[in-house]
């Protein structure tokens, strides 16, 4: 591999090192997109694992490129930039459409940081449940006890599963597992013995990580850590006063009536601009929504400026492109309304 350019503060390519990003108050985005050059022996899953990306992520970012034979010298786009989910930023957050797990905590110097890992989640018949839970138990070298429903499904396909699979290279849980406090106790965050599938919607409801990523997370996370499991396929966020949009495909087997449409997109943008008003480039927003490639894209034409940043005072009632400068009752300037037209 010949890495050419990637996110700021890039690390030497190492499977054992997680992506750790410092966080500031109000920060909505982490990472920076980049690219690398494939060599003759590379596959896209090889490159994905090297850069802590998932199977579906790297495929969506490189349409038209063969997953198994990208070609020597081919430029490969690395989607290493992510809008953070709209939720409390503490503990573990899993956003299923992202195919990513986020871990929010303070580092050894008590600075707020975020780590992020690609994951596999539940397939069509074994959906990963949504909601708030916690880490109930940690297990090193776990034994896998496949539920009866899983054994029955494998039996239908001519594959007889034993009632238990001991630790070792044939154990699909890998070397580390963290059991979630979801009733029934069947849901885990764990490793895998087939890392090529990380980043796909293929599990029986569990959350699966690369072996090196689960080991890193396992060593950092304590029992009782809160875990939030979300389904946010439309994400918005602010970077230097500009509004960004990130959209992912809906999860498999989602009821068509529950799939977000352009009305849901409009609601998300309106919610994001309630207190920060900008002119929205709706043509770009609709393109990002239709493509659903999972990459943050700027959708505001102008940039929101906080009142404290306005240096030259204007006369009472005078307007600027960022809104009226007439103070409101609480002394703040009233922002201009979002341009909701599609023209």
């Amino acid at each position: 591999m010949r890495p050419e350019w990637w996110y700021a503060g890039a690390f030497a390519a190492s499977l054992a090192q997680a992506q750790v990003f410092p966080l500031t108050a109000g920060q909505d985005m982490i990472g920076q997109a980049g690219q690398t050059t494939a060599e003759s022996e590379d596959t896209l899953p090889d490159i994905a694992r090297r850069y802590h990306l998932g199977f579906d992520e790297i495929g969506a970012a490189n349409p038209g490129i063969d997953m198994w034979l990208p070609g020597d010298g081919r430029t490969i786009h690395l989607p290493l930039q992510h809008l953070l989910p709209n939720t409390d930023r503490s503990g573990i957050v899993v956003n299923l459409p992202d195919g990513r797990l986020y871990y929010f905590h303070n580092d050894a110097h008590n600075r707020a940081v975020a780590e992020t890992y690609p994951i596999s989640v539940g397939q069509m018949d074994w959906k990963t449940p949504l909601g708030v839970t916690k880490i109930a138990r940690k297990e090193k070298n776990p034994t896998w006890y496949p539920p009866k429903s899983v054994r029955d499904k494998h039996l239908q396909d001519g594959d007889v599963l034993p009632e238990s699979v001991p630790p070792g290279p044939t154990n699909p849980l890998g070397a580390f597992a963290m059991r979630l406090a979801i009733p029934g106790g069947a849901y885990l965050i764990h490793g895998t013995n087939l890392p090529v599938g990380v980043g796909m919607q293929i599990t029986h409801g569990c959350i699966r990580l690369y072996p090196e990523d689960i080991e890193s997370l396992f060593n950092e996370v304590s029992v009782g850590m809160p875990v939030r499991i979300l389904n946010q396929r439309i994400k918005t966020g602010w970077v230097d006063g500009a509004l960004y949009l990130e959209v992912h495909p809906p999860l498999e087997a989602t009821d068509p009536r529950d799939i977000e449409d352009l009305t849901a997109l409009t609601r998300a943008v309106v919610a994001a601009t309630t207190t920060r008003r900008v002119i929205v480039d709706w043509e770009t927003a609709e393109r990002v929504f239709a493509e659903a490639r999972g990459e943050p894209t700027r959708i505001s034409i102008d940039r929101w400026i906080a009142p404290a940043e306005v240096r030259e005072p204007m006369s009472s009632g005078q307007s600027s492109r960022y809104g009226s400068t007439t103070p409101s009752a609480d002394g703040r300037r009233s922002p201009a309304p979002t341009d909701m037209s599609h023209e």
Side-chain angles (χ1 to χ4, degrees):
M1 290 296 301
R2 298 184 293 273
E4 298 178 344
W5 174 74
W6 58 97
Y7 62 87
F11 53 89
S14 168
L15 292 180
Q17 187 168 357
Q19 298 180 53
V20 182
F21 301 94
L23 287 181
T24 58
Q27 181 176 338
D28 289 336
M29 186 184 292
I30 56 175
Q32 185 171 331
Q35 64 184 36
T36 190
T37 302
E39 296 187 349
S40 58
E41 69 275 14
D42 283 328
T43 67
L44 284 189
D46 291 336
I47 297 172
R49 186 175 181 184
R50 205 169 284 138
Y51 289 94
H52 293 275
L53 294 168
F55 187 99
D56 288 345
E57 274 184 310
I58 201 163
N62 295 277
I65 296 181
D66 191 289
M67 290 293 291
W68 308 108
L69 293 170
D72 187 32
R74 177 68 70 99
T75 297
I76 304 301
H77 179 48
L78 303 173
L80 296 166
Q81 193 171 54
H82 313 284
L83 287 177
L84 297 173
N86 181 21
T87 189
D88 184 29
R89 292 171 186 171
S90 63
I92 292 173
V93 174
V94 174
N95 192 27
L96 302 181
D98 278 24
R100 297 202 74 83
L101 179 151
Y102 302 85
Y103 173 39
F104 299 96
H105 62 105
N106 289 344
D107 65 11
H109 303 285
N110 203 34
R111 297 172 300 194
V113 297
E115 300 177 24
T116 181
Y117 303 91
I119 57 173
S120 289
V121 297
Q123 57 185 295
M124 185 180 301
D125 296 324
W126 286 282
K127 296 179 181 178
T128 304
L130 303 176
V132 180
T133 182
K134 63 182 179 180
I135 302 295
R137 188 164 76 249
K138 298 170 61 178
E139 304 171 41
K140 188 174 181 179
N141 296 320
T143 295
W144 182 43
Y145 299 94
K148 185 177 183 302
S149 59
V150 174
R151 298 202 310 273
D152 290 346
K153 179 63 171 66
H154 277 254
L155 187 60
Q156 291 175 8
D157 298 334
D159 179 22
V160 180
L161 280 180
E163 292 188 2
S164 66
V165 179
T170 63
N171 189 318
L173 301 184
F176 301 91
M178 298 186 290
R179 195 168 299 276
L180 300 177
I182 295 173
Y187 296 97
L188 302 94
I189 300 173
H190 64 81
T192 179
N193 62 340
L194 295 172
V196 69
V198 169
M200 302 173 70
Q201 194 177 335
I202 57 172
T203 77
H204 294 121
C206 290
I207 297 163
R208 182 188 301 175
L209 285 79
Y210 287 125
E212 59 277 8
D213 287 347
I214 186 62
E215 181 175 5
S216 175
L217 191 65
F218 185 93
N219 290 331
E220 294 186 52
V221 169
S222 58
V223 171
M225 173 74 64
V227 178
R228 294 172 178 82
I229 304 176
L230 314 173
N231 182 3
Q232 292 182 9
R233 84 177 191 98
I234 301 175
K235 298 190 294 183
T236 58
W238 295 88
V239 180
D240 296 329
L243 181 61
Y244 281 72
L245 173 68
E246 178 181 327
V247 182
H248 295 263
L251 295 171
E252 292 180 10
T254 300
D255 189 317
R257 294 170 296 181
D258 296 330
I259 295 178
E260 296 88 341
D261 56 13
L262 287 175
T263 300
L265 170 65
T266 302
R267 288 172 179 162
V269 173
V270 169
T273 55
T274 300
T275 58
R276 302 182 188 184
R277 307 298 178 92
V278 290
I279 300 173
V280 174
D281 180 352
W282 282 104
E283 183 176 347
T284 297
E286 292 183 6
R287 174 181 59 79
V288 171
F289 179 82
E291 292 177 350
R293 290 178 56 177
E295 299 181 71
T297 303
R298 177 171 171 168
I299 62 166
S300 65
I301 297 172
D302 58 350
R303 186 173 75 89
W304 179 78
I305 297 180
E309 296 181 44
V310 179
R311 298 179 180 179
E312 296 184 6
M314 300 181 185
S315 60
S316 177
Q318 186 176 356
S319 296
S320 73
R321 65 184 294 195
Y322 301 111
S324 169
T325 62
T326 304
S328 59
D330 59 3
R332 296 179 296 182
R333 299 182 189 278
S334 302
T338 304
D339 182 354
M340 300 302 294
S341 70
H342 292 248
E343 301 178 356

